[in-house]
């Protein structure tokens, strides 16, 4: 089994409730959405293995990735992208010798069903202002994915909402209410460089029904990957 990867590296988690934990990052290539603020390359002919200081041709074998997982001293393995759910079959073939932490846009419910075994889910709720095509369908699939990968005794699931300067507060609250029973909390994340005053007001309202925190992209402030 093989998959196209952008890079593999070790660093601290820079977003969400688990900011600061040490992780092995497996960054998959490709995404089914095209958010205007995305800062991640979509494809690459080579995978940058920053742990071993080498570049390897794509696609990368599961055996190669498994060896890095087995030998890394980390809190968890961050499966990120791009959109890692596009590679659900590859992920399913990996041995979970470390906890698996899935970062997903939560728009591929059929793939989500294959990844129920993950230990952590950092799932996105896209806002209309992210300019994704077919937003209403995207939102419907997002709610379905959260139902499939909901927070349980064995899986910790939270929702991350990336917010530009301009957003519809009422629409976000209504969408969050559809998800609140499937997560242990919400993270409001400003687009890097955006203001937070309006976001703080949204936080006040969302705290009436869920643990809601404002957490920026900490790794960018630290200057690490």
């Amino acid at each position: 089994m093989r998959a196209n990867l952008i890079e593999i590296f070790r660093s601290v988690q820079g977003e969400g409730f688990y900011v600061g934990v040490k992780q092995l990052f497996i960054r998959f290539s490709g995404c089914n959405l095209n958010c205007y603020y995305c800062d991640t390359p979509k494809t690459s002919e080579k995978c940058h293995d920053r742990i071993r200081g080498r570049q390897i041709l794509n696609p990368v074998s599961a055996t190669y990735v498994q060896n890095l997982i087995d030998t890394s001293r980390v809190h968890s393995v961050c499966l990120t992208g791009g959109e890692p759910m596009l590679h659900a079959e590859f992920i399913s073939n990996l041995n979970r010798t470390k906890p698996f932490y899935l970062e997903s846009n939560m728009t591929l419910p059929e793939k989500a069903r294959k990844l129920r075994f993950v230990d952590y889910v950092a799932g996105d709720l896209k806002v209309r202002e992210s300019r994704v095509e077919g937003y209403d369908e995207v939102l419907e699939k997002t709610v379905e994915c959260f139902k499939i990968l909901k927070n349980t005794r064995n899986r910790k699931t939270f929702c991350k909402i990336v917010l530009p300067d301009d957003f519809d507060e009422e629409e976000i609250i209504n969408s969050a209410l559809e998800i609140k029973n499937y997560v242990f909390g919400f993270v409001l994340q400003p687009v890097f460089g955006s203001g937070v005053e309006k976001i703080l007001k949204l936080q006040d309202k969302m705290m009436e029904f869920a643990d809601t925190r404002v957490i920026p992209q900490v790794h960018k402030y630290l200057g690490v990957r």
Side-chain angles (χ1 to χ4, degrees), residues 1-223:
M1 182 70 69
R2 292 177 175 270
N4 288 334
L5 307 178
I6 299 292
E7 59 182 346
I8 305 170
F9 62 99
R10 276 193 294 263
S11 187
V12 294
Q13 174 58 237
E15 301 177 355
F17 279 92
Y18 294 91
V19 160
V21 300
K22 196 65 174 282
Q23 291 185 322
L24 173 68
F25 288 80
I26 311 296
R27 187 179 302 283
F28 292 89
S29 68
C31 187
N32 60 311
L33 300 182
N34 190 30
C35 303
Y36 82 88
Y37 49 75
C38 183
D39 58 1
T40 304
K42 297 293 189 298
T43 61
S44 178
E45 290 184 3
K46 295 181 179 179
C47 168
H48 292 259
D49 179 351
R50 303 185 189 278
I51 298 171
R52 295 171 174 167
R54 65 175 70 158
Q55 295 186 43
I56 52 177
L57 288 173
N58 275 315
V60 180
S61 73
T63 301
Y64 188 95
V65 174
Q66 188 68 57
N67 182 261
L68 288 169
I69 292 173
D70 294 343
T71 57
S72 292
R73 188 177 180 182
V74 291
H75 168 274
S76 48
V77 177
C78 183
L79 308 164
T80 187
E83 176 47 54
M85 277 197 197
L86 291 172
H87 306 271
E89 291 78 10
F90 179 90
I91 295 170
S92 297
N93 275 272
L94 296 173
N95 294 320
R96 206 164 85 253
T97 56
K98 304 287 191 302
F100 278 10
Y101 181 108
L102 176 69
E103 290 186 334
S104 172
N105 63 33
M106 301 296 271
T107 62
L108 298 167
E110 292 305 316
K111 299 290 189 178
R113 291 187 177 91
K114 299 179 181 181
L115 297 175
R116 295 178 192 269
F117 60 86
V118 299
D119 304 277
Y120 301 91
V121 176
D124 287 353
L125 168 60
K126 300 296 184 184
V127 299
R128 194 176 296 274
E129 291 76 14
S130 61
R131 305 175 197 165
V132 297
E133 295 183 10
Y135 179 76
D136 292 331
E137 182 181 0
V138 166
L139 179 59
E140 182 180 336
K141 290 181 177 179
T142 296
V143 174
E144 186 176 354
C145 277
F146 273 105
K147 287 180 182 178
I148 295 167
L149 295 176
K150 65 184 178 181
N151 188 65
T152 67
R153 288 176 57 187
N154 298 317
R155 180 175 55 237
K156 305 301 293 182
T157 300
F158 70 90
C159 176
K160 181 184 72 179
I161 309 175
V162 177
L163 294 168
D165 285 320
D166 182 46
F167 56 83
D168 187 325
E169 181 182 274
E170 183 177 355
E171 183 173 56
I172 291 171
I173 290 173
N174 288 337
S175 298
L177 285 170
E178 291 192 61
I179 293 171
K180 72 179 181 69
N181 292 331
Y182 310 123
V183 299
F184 69 81
F186 291 87
V187 170
L188 306 181
Q189 179 178 295
V191 170
F192 189 70
S194 296
V196 297
E197 184 175 345
K198 189 176 179 182
I199 294 175
L200 293 175
K201 293 179 181 178
L202 174 62
Q203 180 191 31
D204 286 339
K205 295 183 179 180
M206 289 182 60
M207 284 178 62
E208 295 179 7
F209 59 83
D211 182 2
T212 305
R213 306 182 189 186
V214 178
I215 304 175
Q217 292 175 291
V218 172
H219 57 286
K220 291 191 174 183
Y221 291 98
L222 293 176

